[in-house]
Amino acid sequence: MTNTTALAHQLRATQRLAYRLEQAIEVLRTHFPLDPDRFDPDMLPVEVAMGLDAFRTRFADLQDMLGRTTFRSLAMADEDESPGQELTTRERIALMERRGILDAAQWRQIREVRNQFAHEYPDDHGEKAANLNAAWQLTPPLLSVAQRCAQYAREKHGVTSCG
C-alpha cells in the first residue's frame, strides 16, 4: 500500500469518527454546559447518559486517532517520516503546526482533556462535569484539526478519503 493510499484510508476513518462526534453534539446541544455542582449522571435520563458516554468516547477516539495515526500518515505522505525513522509525538505535533493543521498549545489542551477522561473517579461528578464541559468547548477545534488534515491531504497530495 502506498503512503497516499494509506493516507486516504486513514482520512476516511478520521472522517467517520468526526461525523459521529458531530452527531453526539447534536443530540446533547441543549444539555450543555453542565453544572458541576449539580451534575449527577445517575439521575439523568438514559438517553442523555448514553449521549454523554458517546460524546466522551468519540471525543477521545478522534483525538487519539488524529494524534497516533492520522498525523503519522500525513508525515509519511510528506516523506518526513518513514517506518524505519519515526518521529516522536512532539516532533509530529510541531510538524502539524508548521503545516497549519493545528495550534500546538490548543492540541495539548485537547490531549489533556482526553487524558482526564481516562483518570476520572466514578464518584467525582463535579470533575466529570468539568471535563465534559472542557471537551465540549474543545470539540470545534478538534473537528477543525480533522478538517484541516483532509484539506491538507487534498491540496498537497491530491488525496481524498476513500470509500
Side-chain angles (χ1 to χ4, degrees):
M1 184 180 305
T2 67
N3 285 345
T4 55
T5 302
L7 177 58
H9 284 283
Q10 186 58 47
L11 289 173
R12 176 70 178 142
T14 301
Q15 287 174 337
R16 273 194 313 269
L17 273 177
Y19 176 71
R20 290 179 183 143
L21 179 56
E22 289 168 343
Q23 288 177 314
I25 289 169
E26 286 307 313
V27 169
L28 294 170
R29 192 169 300 283
T30 60
H31 299 282
F32 274 89
L34 302 171
D35 182 350
D37 295 327
R38 299 178 58 199
F39 181 71
D40 184 349
D42 298 327
M43 300 305 292
L44 295 172
V46 172
E47 63 275 1
V48 175
M50 289 175 60
L52 289 172
D53 286 344
F55 168 69
R56 180 183 48 78
T57 299
R58 291 169 183 173
F59 179 93
D61 287 353
L62 182 58
Q63 187 283 326
D64 194 48
M65 179 177 283
L66 285 164
R68 291 184 189 267
T69 54
T70 307
F71 295 165
R72 183 174 187 270
S73 292
L74 283 171
M76 291 183 77
D78 284 348
E79 298 181 354
D80 288 312
E81 183 168 350
S82 64
Q85 194 165 16
E86 293 189 14
L87 298 174
T88 66
T89 299
R90 180 171 279 141
E91 290 169 330
R92 264 190 217 129
I93 299 305
L95 180 65
M96 295 302 116
E97 186 169 43
R98 287 193 304 276
R99 301 285 190 264
I101 291 171
L102 57 76
D103 172 85
Q106 191 171 57
W107 183 256
R108 281 190 294 276
Q109 289 178 315
I110 291 168
R111 196 168 83 198
E112 178 60 29
V113 168
R114 180 238 179 252
N115 290 342
Q116 288 299 319
F117 287 145
H119 302 292
E120 286 181 343
Y121 295 100
D123 294 329
D124 192 343
H125 301 321
E127 180 183 338
K128 199 175 285 188
N131 288 338
L132 286 164
N133 284 336
W136 186 261
Q137 293 299 313
L138 291 167
T139 294
L142 177 61
L143 291 168
S144 290
V145 169
Q147 201 170 40
R148 284 194 297 274
C149 285
Q151 180 181 353
Y152 179 85
R154 187 173 47 255
E155 291 173 0
K156 173 87 185 217
H157 299 286
V159 171
T160 58
S161 65
C162 49

Short mmCIF file of all heavy atoms in Angstrom, two decimals, residues 56 59-60 63-64 67 89 93 103-120 127-128 130-136 138 142:
data_model
loop_
_atom_site.label_atom_id
_atom_site.label_comp_id
_atom_site.label_asym_id
_atom_site.label_seq_id
_atom_site.Cartn_x
_atom_site.Cartn_y
_atom_site.Cartn_z
N ARG A 56 -18.15 11.54 25.04
CA ARG A 56 -16.84 11.37 25.68
C ARG A 56 -15.98 10.40 24.88
O ARG A 56 -14.81 10.68 24.59
CB ARG A 56 -17.03 10.88 27.12
CG ARG A 56 -15.73 10.67 27.89
CD ARG A 56 -15.99 10.11 29.28
NE ARG A 56 -16.89 8.98 29.31
CZ ARG A 56 -16.53 7.72 28.99
NH1 ARG A 56 -15.31 7.46 28.61
NH2 ARG A 56 -17.41 6.74 29.07
N PHE A 59 -15.03 11.89 21.37
CA PHE A 59 -14.02 12.94 21.53
C PHE A 59 -12.65 12.30 21.73
O PHE A 59 -11.67 12.64 21.04
CB PHE A 59 -14.38 13.84 22.72
CG PHE A 59 -13.40 14.94 22.98
CD1 PHE A 59 -13.59 16.19 22.42
CD2 PHE A 59 -12.28 14.74 23.79
CE1 PHE A 59 -12.69 17.23 22.66
CE2 PHE A 59 -11.38 15.76 24.03
CZ PHE A 59 -11.58 17.01 23.47
N ALA A 60 -12.56 11.38 22.67
CA ALA A 60 -11.29 10.71 22.98
C ALA A 60 -10.78 9.91 21.79
O ALA A 60 -9.58 9.96 21.46
CB ALA A 60 -11.46 9.81 24.20
N GLN A 63 -9.43 12.32 19.02
CA GLN A 63 -8.14 12.89 19.41
C GLN A 63 -7.05 11.84 19.30
O GLN A 63 -5.97 12.10 18.77
CB GLN A 63 -8.21 13.44 20.84
CG GLN A 63 -6.98 14.20 21.28
CD GLN A 63 -5.80 13.32 21.67
OE1 GLN A 63 -5.97 12.23 22.21
NE2 GLN A 63 -4.60 13.79 21.39
N ASP A 64 -7.34 10.66 19.75
CA ASP A 64 -6.37 9.58 19.73
C ASP A 64 -6.01 9.19 18.29
O ASP A 64 -4.84 9.04 17.95
CB ASP A 64 -6.92 8.38 20.50
CG ASP A 64 -5.87 7.34 20.80
OD1 ASP A 64 -4.78 7.72 21.29
OD2 ASP A 64 -6.13 6.15 20.56
N GLY A 67 -3.90 11.99 16.67
CA GLY A 67 -2.56 12.05 17.25
C GLY A 67 -1.69 10.85 16.97
O GLY A 67 -0.48 10.96 16.79
N THR A 89 6.18 11.97 19.15
CA THR A 89 4.89 12.68 19.19
C THR A 89 5.12 14.18 19.15
O THR A 89 4.45 14.89 18.40
CB THR A 89 4.11 12.28 20.45
OG1 THR A 89 3.87 10.87 20.42
CG2 THR A 89 2.79 13.02 20.55
N ILE A 93 3.69 16.77 16.29
CA ILE A 93 2.84 17.92 16.62
C ILE A 93 3.47 19.20 16.06
O ILE A 93 2.77 20.02 15.46
CB ILE A 93 2.64 18.04 18.16
CG1 ILE A 93 1.94 16.80 18.71
CG2 ILE A 93 1.88 19.31 18.51
CD1 ILE A 93 0.64 16.43 18.08
N ASP A 103 -2.83 24.16 16.27
CA ASP A 103 -2.10 25.02 17.19
C ASP A 103 -1.60 24.10 18.31
O ASP A 103 -2.43 23.45 18.97
CB ASP A 103 -3.02 26.11 17.72
CG ASP A 103 -2.36 26.92 18.82
OD1 ASP A 103 -1.65 27.88 18.50
OD2 ASP A 103 -2.55 26.57 20.00
N ALA A 104 -0.30 24.03 18.51
CA ALA A 104 0.26 23.06 19.45
C ALA A 104 -0.25 23.25 20.88
O ALA A 104 -0.54 22.27 21.57
CB ALA A 104 1.79 23.11 19.42
N ALA A 105 -0.39 24.49 21.32
CA ALA A 105 -0.87 24.73 22.69
C ALA A 105 -2.32 24.25 22.84
O ALA A 105 -2.67 23.61 23.83
CB ALA A 105 -0.77 26.22 23.03
N GLN A 106 -3.13 24.51 21.85
CA GLN A 106 -4.51 24.05 21.90
C GLN A 106 -4.59 22.53 21.82
O GLN A 106 -5.40 21.90 22.49
CB GLN A 106 -5.31 24.69 20.78
CG GLN A 106 -6.79 24.49 20.91
CD GLN A 106 -7.54 25.32 19.91
OE1 GLN A 106 -7.31 25.20 18.70
NE2 GLN A 106 -8.44 26.16 20.40
N TRP A 107 -3.71 21.94 20.99
CA TRP A 107 -3.69 20.48 20.88
C TRP A 107 -3.34 19.84 22.24
O TRP A 107 -3.91 18.83 22.62
CB TRP A 107 -2.72 20.02 19.80
CG TRP A 107 -2.75 18.54 19.64
CD1 TRP A 107 -1.83 17.64 20.08
CD2 TRP A 107 -3.80 17.77 19.02
NE1 TRP A 107 -2.23 16.35 19.77
CE2 TRP A 107 -3.44 16.41 19.12
CE3 TRP A 107 -4.99 18.10 18.40
CZ2 TRP A 107 -4.24 15.39 18.63
CZ3 TRP A 107 -5.78 17.09 17.91
CH2 TRP A 107 -5.40 15.75 18.01
N ARG A 108 -2.41 20.46 22.97
CA ARG A 108 -2.06 19.95 24.30
C ARG A 108 -3.28 19.99 25.22
O ARG A 108 -3.50 19.07 26.01
CB ARG A 108 -0.90 20.74 24.91
CG ARG A 108 0.46 20.33 24.36
CD ARG A 108 1.61 20.95 25.13
NE ARG A 108 1.68 22.39 24.99
CZ ARG A 108 2.26 23.03 23.98
NH1 ARG A 108 2.83 22.35 23.00
NH2 ARG A 108 2.28 24.34 23.93
N GLN A 109 -4.09 21.04 25.13
CA GLN A 109 -5.31 21.13 25.94
C GLN A 109 -6.28 20.00 25.57
O GLN A 109 -6.85 19.36 26.45
CB GLN A 109 -6.02 22.46 25.71
CG GLN A 109 -5.33 23.65 26.30
CD GLN A 109 -6.11 24.92 25.97
OE1 GLN A 109 -6.56 25.13 24.84
NE2 GLN A 109 -6.28 25.76 26.98
N ILE A 110 -6.44 19.78 24.28
CA ILE A 110 -7.35 18.72 23.81
C ILE A 110 -6.86 17.37 24.33
O ILE A 110 -7.65 16.56 24.84
CB ILE A 110 -7.45 18.73 22.27
CG1 ILE A 110 -8.19 19.99 21.80
CG2 ILE A 110 -8.11 17.47 21.74
CD1 ILE A 110 -8.10 20.25 20.30
N ARG A 111 -5.56 17.15 24.22
CA ARG A 111 -5.00 15.88 24.68
C ARG A 111 -5.14 15.73 26.19
O ARG A 111 -5.43 14.64 26.69
CB ARG A 111 -3.54 15.78 24.25
CG ARG A 111 -3.01 14.35 24.35
CD ARG A 111 -1.69 14.20 23.67
NE ARG A 111 -0.66 14.65 24.59
CZ ARG A 111 0.56 14.97 24.23
NH1 ARG A 111 0.92 14.94 22.98
NH2 ARG A 111 1.44 15.35 25.12
N GLU A 112 -4.96 16.80 26.92
CA GLU A 112 -5.10 16.75 28.38
C GLU A 112 -6.53 16.39 28.78
O GLU A 112 -6.74 15.57 29.69
CB GLU A 112 -4.69 18.09 29.00
CG GLU A 112 -4.83 18.15 30.51
CD GLU A 112 -4.01 17.12 31.27
OE1 GLU A 112 -2.94 16.70 30.78
OE2 GLU A 112 -4.45 16.70 32.35
N VAL A 113 -7.51 16.98 28.13
CA VAL A 113 -8.91 16.65 28.43
C VAL A 113 -9.16 15.18 28.12
O VAL A 113 -9.78 14.47 28.91
CB VAL A 113 -9.88 17.56 27.65
CG1 VAL A 113 -11.31 17.04 27.72
CG2 VAL A 113 -9.82 18.98 28.20
N ARG A 114 -8.67 14.72 26.99
CA ARG A 114 -8.81 13.31 26.63
C ARG A 114 -8.18 12.42 27.70
O ARG A 114 -8.76 11.43 28.11
CB ARG A 114 -8.17 13.04 25.27
CG ARG A 114 -8.29 11.61 24.83
CD ARG A 114 -6.86 11.09 24.60
NE ARG A 114 -6.89 9.72 24.20
CZ ARG A 114 -6.51 8.72 24.99
NH1 ARG A 114 -6.11 8.94 26.21
NH2 ARG A 114 -6.53 7.49 24.56
N ASN A 115 -7.01 12.79 28.18
CA ASN A 115 -6.35 12.01 29.23
C ASN A 115 -7.12 12.05 30.54
O ASN A 115 -7.13 11.07 31.28
CB ASN A 115 -4.91 12.50 29.43
CG ASN A 115 -4.02 12.17 28.27
OD1 ASN A 115 -4.33 11.31 27.43
ND2 ASN A 115 -2.90 12.87 28.17
N GLN A 116 -7.76 13.17 30.83
CA GLN A 116 -8.55 13.27 32.06
C GLN A 116 -9.71 12.28 32.07
O GLN A 116 -10.07 11.76 33.12
CB GLN A 116 -9.09 14.70 32.25
CG GLN A 116 -8.03 15.70 32.63
CD GLN A 116 -7.36 15.36 33.95
OE1 GLN A 116 -8.00 14.95 34.90
NE2 GLN A 116 -6.06 15.53 33.99
N PHE A 117 -10.27 12.01 30.91
CA PHE A 117 -11.36 11.03 30.83
C PHE A 117 -10.89 9.67 31.32
O PHE A 117 -11.65 8.93 31.93
CB PHE A 117 -11.89 10.90 29.41
CG PHE A 117 -12.72 12.07 28.95
CD1 PHE A 117 -12.68 12.48 27.63
CD2 PHE A 117 -13.56 12.76 29.81
CE1 PHE A 117 -13.45 13.54 27.18
CE2 PHE A 117 -14.32 13.83 29.38
CZ PHE A 117 -14.26 14.22 28.05
N ALA A 118 -9.65 9.34 31.05
CA ALA A 118 -9.12 8.03 31.45
C ALA A 118 -8.83 7.95 32.95
O ALA A 118 -8.71 6.86 33.49
CB ALA A 118 -7.86 7.72 30.66
N HIS A 119 -8.75 9.11 33.60
CA HIS A 119 -8.36 9.13 35.02
C HIS A 119 -9.46 9.67 35.93
O HIS A 119 -9.19 10.06 37.05
CB HIS A 119 -7.08 9.95 35.20
CG HIS A 119 -5.95 9.43 34.39
ND1 HIS A 119 -5.34 8.23 34.65
CD2 HIS A 119 -5.33 9.94 33.31
CE1 HIS A 119 -4.38 8.01 33.77
NE2 HIS A 119 -4.36 9.02 32.93
N GLU A 120 -10.70 9.69 35.45
CA GLU A 120 -11.80 10.17 36.28
C GLU A 120 -12.15 9.15 37.35
O GLU A 120 -12.02 7.94 37.13
CB GLU A 120 -13.05 10.40 35.42
CG GLU A 120 -12.97 11.63 34.56
CD GLU A 120 -14.24 11.83 33.74
OE1 GLU A 120 -15.02 10.87 33.59
OE2 GLU A 120 -14.42 12.95 33.26
N GLU A 127 -16.02 16.78 38.89
CA GLU A 127 -14.88 16.68 37.99
C GLU A 127 -15.30 16.14 36.63
O GLU A 127 -14.85 16.60 35.59
CB GLU A 127 -13.80 15.78 38.59
CG GLU A 127 -12.58 15.64 37.69
CD GLU A 127 -11.53 14.70 38.25
OE1 GLU A 127 -11.52 14.46 39.46
OE2 GLU A 127 -10.73 14.19 37.44
N LYS A 128 -16.19 15.17 36.65
CA LYS A 128 -16.70 14.58 35.41
C LYS A 128 -17.40 15.66 34.57
O LYS A 128 -17.18 15.76 33.37
CB LYS A 128 -17.66 13.44 35.73
CG LYS A 128 -17.90 12.49 34.60
CD LYS A 128 -18.76 11.32 35.04
CE LYS A 128 -17.95 10.37 35.87
NZ LYS A 128 -18.62 9.12 36.20
N ALA A 130 -16.96 18.92 34.77
CA ALA A 130 -15.96 19.90 34.32
C ALA A 130 -15.19 19.38 33.10
O ALA A 130 -14.93 20.13 32.15
CB ALA A 130 -15.00 20.24 35.46
N ASN A 131 -14.83 18.10 33.12
CA ASN A 131 -14.11 17.52 31.98
C ASN A 131 -14.99 17.48 30.74
O ASN A 131 -14.53 17.75 29.62
CB ASN A 131 -13.61 16.12 32.32
CG ASN A 131 -12.46 16.14 33.29
OD1 ASN A 131 -11.76 17.13 33.43
ND2 ASN A 131 -12.26 15.04 33.99
N LEU A 132 -16.26 17.13 30.91
CA LEU A 132 -17.18 17.11 29.77
C LEU A 132 -17.38 18.52 29.21
O LEU A 132 -17.41 18.71 27.99
CB LEU A 132 -18.52 16.49 30.17
CG LEU A 132 -18.51 14.97 30.36
CD1 LEU A 132 -19.74 14.51 31.13
CD2 LEU A 132 -18.40 14.26 29.01
N ASN A 133 -17.48 19.51 30.10
CA ASN A 133 -17.60 20.90 29.64
C ASN A 133 -16.35 21.34 28.87
O ASN A 133 -16.46 22.02 27.85
CB ASN A 133 -17.84 21.84 30.81
CG ASN A 133 -19.27 21.77 31.33
OD1 ASN A 133 -20.19 21.40 30.62
ND2 ASN A 133 -19.45 22.13 32.59
N ALA A 134 -15.19 20.95 29.36
CA ALA A 134 -13.95 21.30 28.66
C ALA A 134 -13.91 20.64 27.29
O ALA A 134 -13.53 21.28 26.29
CB ALA A 134 -12.74 20.89 29.50
N ALA A 135 -14.30 19.38 27.22
CA ALA A 135 -14.33 18.68 25.93
C ALA A 135 -15.33 19.35 25.00
O ALA A 135 -15.05 19.51 23.79
CB ALA A 135 -14.69 17.21 26.13
N TRP A 136 -16.46 19.76 25.54
CA TRP A 136 -17.48 20.43 24.73
C TRP A 136 -16.89 21.70 24.10
O TRP A 136 -17.10 21.96 22.91
CB TRP A 136 -18.68 20.76 25.61
CG TRP A 136 -19.84 21.33 24.85
CD1 TRP A 136 -20.18 22.65 24.73
CD2 TRP A 136 -20.82 20.61 24.11
NE1 TRP A 136 -21.30 22.78 23.97
CE2 TRP A 136 -21.72 21.54 23.56
CE3 TRP A 136 -21.02 19.25 23.85
CZ2 TRP A 136 -22.80 21.18 22.79
CZ3 TRP A 136 -22.11 18.87 23.08
CH2 TRP A 136 -22.98 19.83 22.55
N LEU A 138 -13.77 22.32 23.52
CA LEU A 138 -12.64 22.00 22.63
C LEU A 138 -13.05 21.15 21.43
O LEU A 138 -12.21 20.86 20.57
CB LEU A 138 -11.54 21.30 23.42
CG LEU A 138 -10.82 22.20 24.42
CD1 LEU A 138 -9.97 21.37 25.38
CD2 LEU A 138 -9.98 23.24 23.69
N LEU A 142 -11.10 20.57 17.76
CA LEU A 142 -10.74 19.19 17.42
C LEU A 142 -11.27 18.82 16.05
O LEU A 142 -10.56 18.25 15.21
CB LEU A 142 -11.28 18.23 18.49
CG LEU A 142 -11.05 16.73 18.25
CD1 LEU A 142 -9.56 16.40 18.17
CD2 LEU A 142 -11.74 15.92 19.34
#
